[in-house]
């Protein structure tokens, strides 16, 4: 009788252990899948003319959105010419990115040969930063692993990785701003304030869309605060 009880207790304990561990294993599977996809783009192997995730058709070359910048960086055409039909894009798409991103790539000599390496770095930073954000926002052990897993293998994330779009880096910079504010509220660190303002301006300069999110988020924060701090200072950061 005692042996049966002991056996049942062992089974229950093992079940609870695996129950607590399965979210972790799901996250590992998501990471393995995403890294396989990312490195398949880097080494340019896999199903021909197929996007690894759900076999969505690819554009032909890996990291096609990133290639628009690296090809334009190497050819040396003016921004006006790049935005016309006489451009350097491998798919003949007019250059529709801000001048700043082109200047950055040309300044650091980031050209066609570096496309796959840059795409790989963008993808790795994006995946790790997304996981870091979710783990900091969610306290529940299981939920943070499950949400991270679903986010990593979601279509938008996989599409950004496959396209090599630098929106992933803008997303990472946007993640930094709340953490800088968190530290600022604790220490009133002027360096964090200046860095947060710089990152905000850089994000808007690289892509106009973040301005809507930054303004909406800032208004929400101000509406929730009960302190009588200077409105102009708080609006800046």
């Amino acid at each position: 009788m005692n042996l049966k009880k002991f056996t049942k207790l062992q089974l229950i304990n093992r079940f609870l252990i695996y129950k607590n561990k399965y979210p972790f294993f799901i996250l590992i599977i998501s990471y393995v899948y995403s890294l396989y996809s990312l490195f398949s783009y880097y080494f340019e192997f896999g199903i021909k003319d197929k996007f690894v995730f759900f076999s969505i058709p690819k554009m032909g070359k890996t990291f096609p959105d990133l290639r628009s910048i690296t090809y334009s960086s190497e050819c040396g055409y003016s921004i006006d010419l790049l935005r016309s039909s006489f451009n350097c894009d491998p798919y003949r798409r007019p250059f529709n990115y801000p001048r700043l991103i082109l200047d950055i790539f040309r300044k650091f000599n980031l050209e066609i040969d570096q496309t796959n390496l840059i795409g790989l770095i963008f993808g790795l930073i994006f995946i790790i930063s997304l996981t870091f954000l979710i783990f900091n926002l969610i306290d529940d052990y299981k939920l943070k692993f499950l949400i991270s897993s679903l986010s990593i293998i979601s279509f938008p994330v996989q599409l950004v990785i496959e396209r090599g779009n630098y929106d992933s880096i803008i997303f990472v910079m946007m993640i930094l701003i709340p953490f800088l504010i968190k530290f600022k509220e604790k220490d009133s660190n002027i360096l964090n304030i200046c860095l947060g303002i710089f990152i905000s301006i850089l994000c808007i300069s690289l892509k106009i869309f973040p301005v809507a999110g930054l303004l909406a988020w800032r208004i929400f924060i101000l509406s929730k605060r009960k302190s009588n701090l200077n409105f102009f200072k708080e609006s800046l950061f």
Side-chain angles (χ1 to χ4, degrees), residues 95-236:
F95 189 82
N96 61 353
Y97 299 102
R99 181 190 296 268
L100 178 60
I101 190 65
L102 182 63
D103 291 341
I104 291 172
F105 271 62
R106 285 180 174 174
K107 176 68 176 177
F108 293 99
N109 295 317
L110 302 176
E111 299 176 344
I112 298 171
D113 290 342
Q114 288 84 42
T115 302
N116 285 3
L117 179 60
I118 298 168
L120 176 65
I121 293 171
F122 279 9
L124 289 174
I125 292 174
F126 184 43
I127 293 170
I128 294 169
S129 300
L130 182 60
T131 309
F132 174 78
L133 174 66
I134 294 170
F135 270 58
N136 275 273
L137 290 177
I138 301 175
D139 295 324
D140 184 84
Y141 174 81
K142 294 178 185 177
L143 193 58
K144 68 171 63 177
F145 278 99
L146 291 174
I147 296 297
S148 297
S149 303
L150 292 174
S151 299
I152 291 169
I153 63 170
S154 66
F155 181 80
V157 170
Q158 292 292 322
L159 185 61
V160 167
I161 292 171
E162 191 273 338
R163 293 290 190 254
N165 199 301
Y166 74 92
D167 283 0
S168 57
I169 299 302
I170 293 176
F171 176 80
V172 172
M173 290 192 292
M174 295 283 286
I175 288 175
L176 289 175
I177 298 173
F179 288 101
L180 288 170
I181 288 181
K182 182 179 178 181
F183 290 130
K184 173 223 143 180
E185 290 177 342
K186 289 182 178 180
D187 305 327
S188 297
N189 192 334
I190 189 67
L191 179 62
N192 288 350
I193 295 174
C194 294
L195 188 57
I197 294 171
F198 172 75
I199 292 174
S200 300
I201 294 172
L202 182 60
C203 289
I204 295 169
S205 300
L206 290 172
K207 209 87 168 182
I208 191 63
F209 303 117
V211 71
L214 285 169
L215 286 175
W217 171 66
R218 197 65 207 141
I219 292 169
F220 173 77
I221 293 296
L222 288 172
S223 68
K224 292 296 181 182
R225 289 193 173 175
K226 297 180 180 179
S227 59
N228 295 320
L229 297 175
N230 182 275
F231 182 84
F232 178 71
K233 178 183 175 182
E234 290 298 304
S235 297
L236 282 175

